[in-house]
Amino acid sequence: MLRAVATCTVDRIALASAQAASRTRRADLWQRLLGGRLARLISSGESANLALDHNTAIENRDQRFSPIRINAVVGPLVVALVVAPASWVAAAIMLGTLVPFTLGMILAGTASRRAAERQLAALGALSGLFVDRVTHLPLIRHFGAEARIGRQVRTATGEVAHRTVAVLRTAFLSNAVLEFFSALSIALVAVYCGFSLLGLLPFPAPEKLTLVPAFFVLAMAPEFYLPMRRLAAAYHEKQLGEAAEQALAPFAAEPETYGQDFDPDGSAVRDHASPAPFDGLHVERLVLAFPGLAVGPLDFDLECSDLAALSGPTGSGKTSTLAAIAGQLAPSSGSISSRAGTPLAGNVAAWAAQRPLLMTGTLGHNLALAAPQATEAEILAVAQRVGLGPVLARRGGLAMPIDHAGSGLSGGERRRIGLARAILSARPLILCDEPTADLDEDSATGIIALLRELAAERCILVATHDPALIRAARQEIAL
């Protein structure tokens, strides 16, 4: 009865605690993955794997393994205390056999942890590959690459299957080892009790053992090892949870590096003061390092009312530079701050991406994501200002429905939505990625005129290939 009540209570507490911790961790992690500073760029599939599967693995560990671990520590001691009055020798045998049991768990856990880490890595790679290929399915079909992509997916799936079998093999072997030690320990207690009752001990009997105490000891021996056996069965959840926790560690909390100086290995060497009002942008010796590519070092200053063009060939790192300034990518070295040397606050920069995030709903709802307090008249005015007027007139105004893929919207219209959001946000620094791409000459001229107009009151940095936009900028930053 004591065990049943204790197990039920601990399980209920552990379940509530694990679910509460999971909700908090998921909320922080989603915010981090969607808009926080990342040490490296990750695919959408890997992001989903981190936010969903890894978080679930940690939750399973907390609600299944943690209470069993408590029981495995307290339970055997309680049983030993109960058995000791009947046979202190049997209690000593039980406690002594915990040593090989513990060593077996340590050895099994080390191998299991490595297998779990490899399995999670393979799952992340498969998720990223699958989401990327599904996203670009029309292109794959257009170029007749179905067979090649199918082979890639089969290879990645086979790798996951191989890693999963390795994890299961390790788990089964570790369970077998621990079951062996458990059976051996119970046998030692049984041999001692039997030989003591028969008077066949090869040494002087340390205690007088009768039938009833011996039977009680034998009945309690399995209870002594039961928590340890349950712990062994749940050890797989522990290893998966710890591997997931290690994988999430770089994404678990916002690193305190924004607005700091970095030495070449990426560690911060000087903290700035608390965020101050935006007085311009100062970038000094900024370097972004990727496998096979290094961007920088970059040095430039922008006024609080300015228009600068970030130019360079495709793949030179223009978007990555914007991401670093927006606080979404950690630099390898250098500093990003205001001109006064203070760190940029998190609400300074507005991002107008090439493919802005769209949510299933209405156009008005999507535009209002940047300024929930904005009125319909204000949203409509900004939409007209960025050139969305023809779309509004043709498709029902701000109530026009759109889906997450932006079906029915051209690339230029998506970019206009991103620019409208940036304007609505009222943030002093606007980062635009190719704002005039996919636009005809007249539309591009209108966007350039709008950017020049905005530059009278805000600091605007655009990544572009457009010669007309580069000429309109007050300075060009060439990569």
Side-chain angles (χ1 to χ4, degrees), residues 245-264:
E245 202 166 51
Q246 183 177 357
L248 288 181
F251 309 95
E254 189 77 21
E256 300 297 333
T257 55
Y258 197 44
Q260 296 176 339
D261 289 340
F262 299 83
D263 62 17

Side-chain angles (χ1 to χ4, degrees), residues 21-58:
S22 179
R23 284 193 296 269
T24 302
R25 181 170 53 249
R26 187 182 295 113
D28 294 341
L29 184 61
W30 286 8
Q31 184 178 7
R32 180 92 168 89
L33 292 173
L34 287 173
R37 165 168 291 200
L38 302 178
R40 60 182 178 86
L41 295 176
I42 59 177
S43 67
S44 56
E46 187 177 357
S47 296
N49 185 250
L50 289 169
L52 300 176
D53 297 340
H54 285 55
N55 190 62
T56 300
I58 298 174

Side-chain angles (χ1 to χ4, degrees), residues 401-416:
I402 58 177
D403 60 18
H404 69 282
S407 303
L409 296 173
S410 67
E413 288 166 346
R414 294 191 186 98
R415 285 179 171 82
R416 292 176 192 270

Side-chain angles (χ1 to χ4, degrees), residues 192-240:
Y192 166 73
C193 292
F195 277 34
S196 179
L197 289 175
L198 296 173
L200 298 178
L201 290 174
F203 50 83
E207 61 183 358
K208 182 176 176 60
L209 194 63
T210 59
L211 178 60
V212 172
F215 183 82
F216 176 71
V217 168
L218 289 175
M220 292 299 295
E223 294 293 329
F224 180 85
Y225 299 104
L226 179 62
M228 302 293 289
R229 295 167 64 188
R230 291 182 61 202
L231 185 69
Y235 214 68
H236 178 56
E237 276 79 10
K238 173 183 181 294
Q239 299 304 333
L240 283 178

Side-chain angles (χ1 to χ4, degrees), residues 423-445:
I423 297 172
L424 277 169
S425 70
R427 295 185 175 183
L429 173 61
I430 296 180
L431 306 172
C432 298
D433 196 359
E434 300 288 356
T436 59
D438 300 322
L439 298 180
D440 56 68
E441 185 176 352
D442 291 340
S443 298
T445 300

Side-chain angles (χ1 to χ4, degrees), residues 3 5-15 17 61-79 105 223-224 226-228 230-232 234-235 238:
R3 182 183 67 186
V5 172
T7 301
C8 181
T9 303
V10 171
D11 283 348
R12 292 190 65 175
I13 294 174
L15 179 61
S17 175
R61 179 202 63 183
D62 292 344
Q63 71 183 24
R64 295 186 59 187
F65 177 80
S66 296
I68 294 176
R69 178 173 56 186
I70 296 173
N71 190 21
V73 173
V74 177
L77 298 179
V78 173
V79 174
M105 289 194 67
E223 294 293 329
F224 180 85
L226 179 62
M228 302 293 289
R230 291 182 61 202
L231 185 69
Y235 214 68
K238 173 183 181 294

Side-chain angles (χ1 to χ4, degrees), residues 105-167:
M105 289 194 67
I106 293 174
L107 293 175
T110 301
S112 179
R113 182 177 65 250
R114 290 196 295 266
E117 291 172 353
R118 290 192 291 266
Q119 182 197 26
L120 287 176
L123 281 171
L126 176 61
S127 296
L129 176 67
F130 185 75
V131 172
D132 179 73
R133 298 310 185 263
V134 170
T135 302
H136 298 92
L137 191 58
L139 287 176
I140 294 171
R141 296 186 63 186
H142 175 76
F143 289 102
E146 296 93 338
R148 178 167 59 85
I149 299 303
R151 287 193 298 270
Q152 290 180 352
V153 174
R154 281 194 297 273
T155 300
T157 305
E159 181 69 14
V160 171
H162 174 72
R163 299 299 185 190
T164 302
V165 169
V167 170

Side-chain angles (χ1 to χ4, degrees), residues 93-422:
I93 292 175
M94 292 177 181
L95 293 175
T97 54
L98 283 179
V99 176
F101 211 99
T102 304
L103 292 176
M105 289 194 67
I106 293 174
L107 293 175
T110 301
S112 179
R113 182 177 65 250
R114 290 196 295 266
E117 291 172 353
R118 290 192 291 266
Q119 182 197 26
L120 287 176
L123 281 171
L126 176 61
S127 296
L129 176 67
F130 185 75
V131 172
D132 179 73
R133 298 310 185 263
V134 170
T135 302
H136 298 92
L137 191 58
L139 287 176
I140 294 171
R141 296 186 63 186
H142 175 76
F143 289 102
E146 296 93 338
R148 178 167 59 85
I149 299 303
R151 287 193 298 270
Q152 290 180 352
V153 174
R154 281 194 297 273
T155 300
T157 305
E159 181 69 14
V160 171
H162 174 72
R163 299 299 185 190
T164 302
V165 169
V167 170
L168 293 176
R169 184 190 305 120
T170 304
F172 288 143
L173 288 176
S174 61
N175 271 341
V177 170
L178 297 176
E179 288 289 342
F180 169 77
F181 281 120
S182 174
L184 184 61
S185 302
I186 294 174
L188 286 175
V189 175
V191 167
Y192 166 73
C193 292
F195 277 34
S196 179
L197 289 175
L198 296 173
L200 298 178
L201 290 174
F203 50 83
E207 61 183 358
K208 182 176 176 60
L209 194 63
T210 59
L211 178 60
V212 172
F215 183 82
F216 176 71
V217 168
L218 289 175
M220 292 299 295
E223 294 293 329
F224 180 85
Y225 299 104
L226 179 62
M228 302 293 289
R229 295 167 64 188
R230 291 182 61 202
L231 185 69
Y235 214 68
H236 178 56
E237 276 79 10
K238 173 183 181 294
Q239 299 304 333
L240 283 178
E242 289 184 349
E245 202 166 51
Q246 183 177 357
L248 288 181
F251 309 95
E254 189 77 21
E256 300 297 333
T257 55
Y258 197 44
Q260 296 176 339
D261 289 340
F262 299 83
D263 62 17
D265 68 1
S267 58
V269 297
R270 178 173 65 87
D271 287 332
H272 293 297
S274 58
F278 183 72
D279 63 349
L281 179 66
H282 174 70
V283 175
E284 181 178 357
R285 306 296 297 170
L286 177 66
V287 174
L288 306 174
F290 306 96
L293 173 67
V295 181
L298 295 176
D299 294 274
F300 60 88
D301 285 278
L302 300 182
E303 302 284 347
C304 57
S305 300
D306 209 341
L307 175 59
L310 194 63
S311 64
T314 300
S316 59
K318 297 187 296 298
T319 300
S320 297
T321 302
L322 294 183
I325 295 171
Q328 296 179 352
L329 188 64
S332 300
S333 62
S335 65
I336 303 169
S337 65
S338 69
R339 298 187 69 195
T342 56
L344 296 180
N347 59 352
V348 162
W351 178 277
Q354 293 189 47
R355 293 186 62 87
L357 174 69
L358 297 176
M359 308 288 285
T360 300
T362 65
L363 175 59
H365 168 72
N366 275 270
L367 293 176
L369 291 175
Q373 75 286 353
T375 65
E376 182 176 338
E378 292 171 336
I379 296 173
L380 185 59
V382 172
Q384 296 281 0
R385 192 177 180 188
V386 299
L388 288 172
V391 180
L392 296 172
R394 187 173 66 251
R395 299 182 58 183
L398 294 177
M400 63 172 282
I402 58 177
D403 60 18
H404 69 282
S407 303
L409 296 173
S410 67
E413 288 166 346
R414 294 191 186 98
R415 285 179 171 82
R416 292 176 192 270
I417 291 174
L419 182 57
R421 275 205 198 121

